[in-house]
Amino acid sequence: MPRLTVAQALVTFLARQWSERDGVRRRLVPACFGIFGHGNVAGVGEALASTDVDLPYHLCRTEQGMVHTAAAYARMTDRMSTLACTTSIGPGATNLVTGAAGATINRLPVLLLPGDIFATRVANPVLQELEDPRSYDVSVTDALRPVSRYFDRINRPEQLPAALLAAMRVLTDPVETGAVTLALPQDVQAEAYDWPAELFAERVWHVPRPRPDRAAVDRAARVVTAARRPLLVAGGGVVYSGACDALRRFAEAHGVPVAETQAGKGALPHDHPLALGALGVSGTTAANTVAADADLVIGVGTRYSDFTTASGTLFGDGARFVNLNVTGFDAAKLSGTQVVGDAREGLAALDAACAGWATAAAYRDEVTELTRRWTAVADAARRSAPDARPTQTAVIGAVNEAAGPRDVVVCAAGSMPGDLHRLWRGVDPKSYHVEYGYSCMGYEIAGGIGVKLAAPEREVFVLVGDGSYLMLPSELVTAVAEGVKLVVVLVDNQGFASIGRLSESVGAQRLGTAYTDRAGDPLPVDLGANAASFGADLIRADSTAQLRDALARARASERTTVVHVRTDPMEAGPEGGAWWDVPVAEVSTTAAARAARAGYEAGRKARRNHLRPG
Ligand SMILES: Cc1ncc(C[n+]2csc(CCOP(=O)(O)OP(=O)(O)O)c2C)c(N)n1
Ligand SMILES: [Mg+2]
């Protein structure tokens, strides 16, 4: 019966957890990120310092950032591995909420270990305690409940073993995974207990590949083989399941074109004859045209966000849906025929059940022609003259060309995710890492750290807007301190190009979307100098030729390098013509808003119910 504190037991346990799928074993929680305060320094902090186990500690600069880092790490490992995040009580704990929501929405495992107020309550109110007059049972960590897929508060040592097992199960369950929170009252963390030795045995969490029900596959095959204009929508689940080869086999055997969501991008190599590329609001004309006329949508591993369905306007009234998803919750969407199971297993089963069926050559020729037309548009957008200031889409073209096929591009918010979705060309799904479930400004650098830690052999290009940079630049210091090499391309357009454009389209007149002083003049702010002051190497690029040179140097360097490039916020890249539902003021004193409202009402008429029984 080893006698350890709760925190020492926790750390010892975590160092002995493994995940396994397809015979590949890896550490489930190989490292811990954190920031210490009075709520965890004597508990988890002491345990990490004194316990002789393999659980390296990394100091981050913001709690939100470390959750993004953990989520990115999990995404990069196809959810087989994640990082633990330890915080103090109070603001350290609540700083986790945004990252936790992002992880849960993106269905990515992260393990959060916030400190909490005394379980004994003898010292309360402690520094940073909420003090809810209705109940002393409430603490700020309760804010993590709705954004956690498992939440527990360890009020007694005896509660720890069952909570740990439950936490590991949720982290490794593809159906339930997301943020897992174990709130740790600061007195309990330091309390000693005689633990059963079995708690610390090595444990392997087998990540299942649930096979879909035979009858469900047969039902789906009947729907699929009746289709003439099918479209397969590949979501993130295809990538996490390692189903890209199965997807390609299915598409080729049956002549089904494939469009991709943000998380599914790269499921097929960009130059595959059946690859339509990006779908939806951030999609291409090719994918969106095929979607509009599709009589069947086969959604694989997608949650059908509004960006994918163009807020319910993308697919026609006559479209039927077959949804293959590991979660019944997603499979049931749009009233689809449900196939609940692992994407790889499900695609193989559906492939066999559809044997002998294929689309007509004329349909595939249409796909080829639409793709050819979009590619010409994209080619033009990805270029700009060598001595000219690059457009944002030319920045993307330059980064894409500077990056090797296995290098990774990371982005999350602003106008770049849409341009990237449409214009980035990759052959490896792991080379495209755009967080677009939560589209959280500030994810970029922190996420880049997680990507690089999970795949140190790859170069990581973080594309970050000036707005997103200002939200969480501090994680650049973490990258420098931890020796995690990033190439950060800081695309500075002096404000919010994305929201500026959106603001104009809804009649809000770009209010508050440009970084200027009260008089409307440019600010004396130098973000490049800011990055250099954090210890990153800085290269400024004022022309496309300089940008190409800067990217090559940054890639070759061993140090984190920021390439600072200025762009024009009024320049927009080519779009795919899909609608997005952002409700416009129903009454307004301005003509701009009234005109926008008329456009909005016309737009929403195209929304379909998609209630036809699957
Ligand atoms: C944390 C957070 N706050 C607000 C938003 C809403 N939002 C989306 S994009 C954006 C502006 C992003 O600015 P920048 O990074 O400079 O990119 P740009 O739009 O200029 O391309 C804002 C405010 C968000 N996505 N995340
Ligand atoms: Mg900007």
Side-chain angles (χ1 to χ4, degrees), residues 23 25 105 107 114 142 165 231 290 298 312 317 320 360 410 415 482 494 512 530-531 571 573:
R25 240 172 79 129
I105 285 165
R107 318 275 165 85
D142 286 302
L165 297 186
L231 170 68
V290 172
I298 308 171
D317 267 330
R320 303 188 71 173
V410 181
S415 56
E482 297 292 314
Q494 302 89 55
N530 172 268
E571 282 166 349

Side-chain angles (χ1 to χ4, degrees), residues 465-467 491 493-497:
D466 50 332
V491 181
N493 54 19
Q494 302 89 55
F496 307 160

Side-chain angles (χ1 to χ4, degrees), residues 392 414-416 441 464-468 491-498 513 515 567 569:
Q392 176 165 289
S415 56
M416 264 184 298
M441 291 169 77
V464 61
D466 50 332
S468 283
V491 181
D492 187 348
N493 54 19
Q494 302 89 55
F496 307 160
S498 53
T513 60
Y515 287 145
T567 57

Side-chain angles (χ1 to χ4, degrees), residues 10-11 13-15 17 28-34 55 63 66-71 74 81-87 96 99-100 103-104 108-114 144 148 150-152 160 163-172 177-184:
L10 166 76
V11 162
F13 176 90
L14 289 181
Q17 306 307 303
L28 178 54
V29 186
C32 181
F33 270 68
L55 195 67
E63 290 87 357
M66 75 174 150
V67 188
H68 295 325
T69 299
S81 204
T82 188
L83 305 169
C85 301
T86 173
T87 78
L96 294 171
T104 294
L108 293 169
V110 293
L111 178 60
L112 309 183
L113 305 170
L144 284 157
S148 298
Y150 181 83
F151 176 97
D152 212 344
L160 185 68
L164 285 173
L165 297 186
M168 299 302 112
R169 185 192 70 76
V170 173
L171 286 175
T172 53
T177 198
V180 166
T181 302
L182 297 179
L184 304 167

Side-chain angles (χ1 to χ4, degrees), residues 22-291:
D22 305 332
V24 179
R25 240 172 79 129
R26 46 188 311 164
R27 278 281 299 281
L28 178 54
V29 186
C32 181
F33 270 68
I35 293 183
F36 292 124
H38 66 283
N40 61 337
V41 68
V44 174
E46 189 282 337
L48 285 165
S50 74
T51 311
D52 185 23
V53 294
D54 179 21
L55 195 67
Y57 179 73
H58 303 273
L59 169 59
C60 63
R61 298 305 182 278
T62 57
E63 290 87 357
Q64 178 185 323
M66 75 174 150
V67 188
H68 295 325
T69 299
Y73 188 94
R75 176 166 169 177
M76 211 52 202
T77 61
D78 289 332
R79 312 195 285 207
M80 300 300 289
S81 204
T82 188
L83 305 169
C85 301
T86 173
T87 78
S88 190
I89 71 169
T94 50
N95 269 357
L96 294 171
V97 174
T98 298
T104 294
I105 285 165
N106 284 294
R107 318 275 165 85
L108 293 169
V110 293
L111 178 60
L112 309 183
L113 305 170
D116 213 328
I117 52 174
F118 281 49
T120 59
R121 300 180 187 162
V122 290
N124 69 350
V126 294
L127 177 67
Q128 302 167 335
E129 179 166 345
L130 177 66
E131 280 205 286
D132 186 333
R134 293 163 301 179
S135 169
Y136 279 128
D137 192 35
V138 177
S139 124
V140 295
T141 57
D142 286 302
L144 284 157
R145 283 182 193 268
V147 291
S148 298
R149 302 305 303 268
Y150 181 83
F151 176 97
D152 212 344
R153 187 175 287 125
I154 310 303
N155 282 311
R156 293 185 57 84
E158 293 90 326
Q159 295 170 342
L160 185 68
L164 285 173
L165 297 186
M168 299 302 112
R169 185 192 70 76
V170 173
L171 286 175
T172 53
D173 181 344
V175 179
E176 291 187 41
T177 198
V180 166
T181 302
L182 297 179
L184 304 167
Q186 62 177 112
D187 52 348
V188 180
Q189 284 181 50
E191 211 173 315
Y193 185 74
D194 296 310
W195 305 93
E198 299 81 20
L199 179 62
F200 306 116
E202 300 240 326
R203 230 169 270 268
V204 182
W205 298 86
H206 301 282
V207 178
R209 290 192 174 279
R211 298 226 166 96
D213 176 44
R214 187 69 249 171
V217 172
D218 290 344
R219 270 194 303 274
R222 281 196 290 278
V223 177
V224 171
T225 54
R228 306 172 74 87
R229 305 182 62 86
L231 170 68
L232 195 149
V233 176
V238 173
V239 180
Y240 303 144
S241 154
C244 296
D245 287 344
L247 177 90
R248 188 175 39 73
R249 276 196 295 276
F250 180 89
E252 288 173 356
H254 309 291
V256 178
V258 175
E260 294 164 343
T261 70
Q262 286 275 14
K265 187 167 162 82
L268 268 192
H270 76 94
D271 51 358
H272 190 282
L274 290 162
L276 281 164
L279 180 72
V281 180
S282 51
T284 70
T285 49
N288 289 349
T289 304
V290 172

